[in-house]
Amino acid sequence: MPTIRPISDLRNNSNEIAEICKATREPIFITKNGVGELAVMSMEVYEQLEAKLELLSKISEAEENNFEGDEGEDFFVFAENLRKKVNGAI
């Protein structure tokens, strides 16, 4: 169940809201005059969300390229080149 708090809590209880966000790893929904206004979340959760969105964007782009006929790079060639980079051979 989502946590919903009035906007006055941002001013009066900001430390408590921050602690709830960190502990639950879920956003807190802030209302203004009974209507949804903001969503507040911890930086850790925000950064994870951004990383997921970036990954989904890249997957979508790859699927689009595949659909358009782009064959991409052979996995085994890619993996070998990556190993060489990681091990400093390149």
Side-chain angles (χ1 to χ4, degrees):
M1 181 124 194
T3 302
I4 302 171
R5 303 287 287 265
I7 200 162
S8 61
D9 278 2
L10 282 178
R11 179 180 54 249
N12 301 328
N13 301 313
S14 60
N15 288 337
E16 178 187 349
I17 288 177
E19 289 303 316
I20 292 170
C21 287
K22 290 176 189 174
T24 63
R25 300 178 44 79
E26 295 289 331
I28 294 179
F29 299 99
I30 305 296
T31 61
K32 182 176 182 180
N33 298 323
V35 178
E37 182 77 9
L38 303 168
V40 178
M41 64 183 72
S42 71
M43 285 300 297
E44 179 184 2
V45 171
Y46 174 77
E47 289 169 353
Q48 288 175 348
L49 182 60
E50 285 292 308
K52 286 178 186 176
L53 287 173
E54 183 179 351
L55 177 61
L56 288 173
S57 175
K58 288 180 179 181
I59 290 171
S60 177
E61 182 181 340
E63 287 177 339
E64 185 176 323
N65 289 343
N66 186 41
F67 180 74
E68 293 173 354
D70 183 6
E71 293 184 23
E73 186 176 352
D74 180 81
F75 171 76
F76 294 106
V77 172
F78 172 81
E80 181 62 27
N81 289 335
L82 182 61
R83 277 190 211 94
K84 288 177 182 177
K85 286 180 184 178
V86 168
N87 294 327
I90 291 181

